[in-house]
Amino acid sequence: MTITFVGHGYVGLVSAAVFADLGNTVWVIGHTPEKVNNLKKGIIPIYEPGLEEIVKKNIKAKRILFTLDYDEAIPQSDAIFIAVGTPPKSNGEANLSIVLDVAESIGRHLDGYSVVATKSTVPVATNEKVREIINEVKPETAQFDYASVPEFLREGQALSDTFYPDRVVIGTNAKRAADLLIKLHKPILDNDKVPGGTKLINTNIPTAEMIKYASNAFLATKISYANAIAHISELAGADGIDVLEGMGLDKRIGNLFLQAGAGYGGSCFPKDVRALIEIAKALGYDFRLLKDVEEINKDMMFSIVKKARNLLNQKMRKKTVAVLGLAFKPNTDDMRDAPAITIIKDLVEEGAFVKVFDPIAMENAQRIFANMNGITFVKDPYAAVKDADLSILVTEWNEFKEIDLKKVKKLMKSPLIVDGRNIFNPEDMKKLGFTYVGVGRK
């Protein structure tokens, strides 16, 4: 098939690369000339393990093509996917302006029959608005059906999640569209690398829209619940890590997303939790549970700074603090809503000098902190901890798990560590002479 993705962020570019690798001709429409020109050369604007290689492979095979022009890609496409951002407004609602603008541009360039599908995460009823816009502007001879095909990829594991997903959700009211989309996804649905196989959910559009929000909000809830239990365990003198492990061994609960830490971040969970709160509000329901999930997550970030303050006897001013890890999770350079942002800002506001390092996200972080004094970006983790009064581990990169702790202790002014991801063994840290504090650990 010939298909098009509008948008070349995590969702659009990863999905385009995967479907090209499965043998389709895939167009990717962007709106920034510099980025599109770079993509034509195989220069990727995001960090995702394996993505650069698969994009270059399919550029060489002429299966993935990048353009700024809708009229070059849309008329010849069997399926067109909207994969652009839906950033939150100040009140938490999803900003749909880009999605709606893209829908109009797609509609004006339709020719023959195509399926237009949304991959962007959008509130219930958005797809009906998109359908109406396309209907208003499309040529009279053009025909289309509309669908919602949400994505469930995780940054850092996006290629694997797209090639081998747990489920493929196709929401549409048109059989012709469903048949075409199922055919497109057949190589993914037929793979044998997912235990029990990839499940197909063929449903209506509102259900597909809700599945995405419900999934992300539940995972965020699970993380906040784990963090709340960890906090209570600390107060009770219990080992929160053992508590959570004991919970996770129950097959009804499972251990995924049940680890205590510095809180969740990224492009999905914070945005989608806020958006679902607003969706519920518009429907007349006060989603108090998700409001608490959001508050617990904020509290976890503040609690990391509180732990640091306690280790420094409440004297943060003019202390040097090393922050290891800036991205919201390992194997990505994504800084959107990263806990490190809140933690670093709090440290600086309390008068600390902060030295920071991340293996991948330094460039994005420098843009975020460009106008803030008191932050020094260094070349490696050892430069960060050198002469530090305290170190805070925020992102669980493998590089930090394998760090030479004896060297770290020698470099630090004071051997004080707050482990925001519980990657170190407390007994080992004690033997090495560190004063160590984790999350949920007694």
Side-chain angles (χ1 to χ4, degrees), residues 86-95 274-275 278 281 294 298:
T86 54
K89 297 180 181 178
S90 58
N91 67 350
E93 289 181 13
N95 186 336
R274 293 174 204 141
E278 291 303 314
K281 181 180 177 181
E294 194 173 33
K298 291 176 184 174

Side-chain angles (χ1 to χ4, degrees), residues 16-59:
V18 168
F19 280 104
D21 209 56
L22 293 173
N24 302 285
T25 299
V26 183
W27 288 89
V28 179
I29 299 176
H31 68 279
T32 308
E34 182 183 0
K35 287 185 178 180
V36 169
N37 287 333
N38 282 339
L39 283 165
K40 288 179 179 180
K41 301 171 188 175
I43 300 171
I44 308 301
I46 56 177
Y47 176 78
E48 181 64 35
L51 181 58
E52 183 176 347
E53 291 80 3
I54 196 172
V55 169
K56 285 181 176 179
K57 171 187 171 185
N58 284 284
I59 289 173

Side-chain angles (χ1 to χ4, degrees), residues 224-241:
S224 283
Y225 183 83
N227 281 327
I229 291 297
H231 182 67
I232 296 168
S233 296
E234 280 186 22
L235 296 174
D239 189 320
I241 309 308

Side-chain angles (χ1 to χ4, degrees), residues 7 19 73 75 109 121 165 211 226 232 261 269 275 304 308 320 351 377 392 398 402 416 424 440:
F19 280 104
H109 293 89
T121 303
I211 286 171
I232 296 168
F269 288 2
I304 298 298
T320 298
F377 293 85
I392 302 176
N398 285 334
E402 302 299 325
L416 307 176
F424 301 124

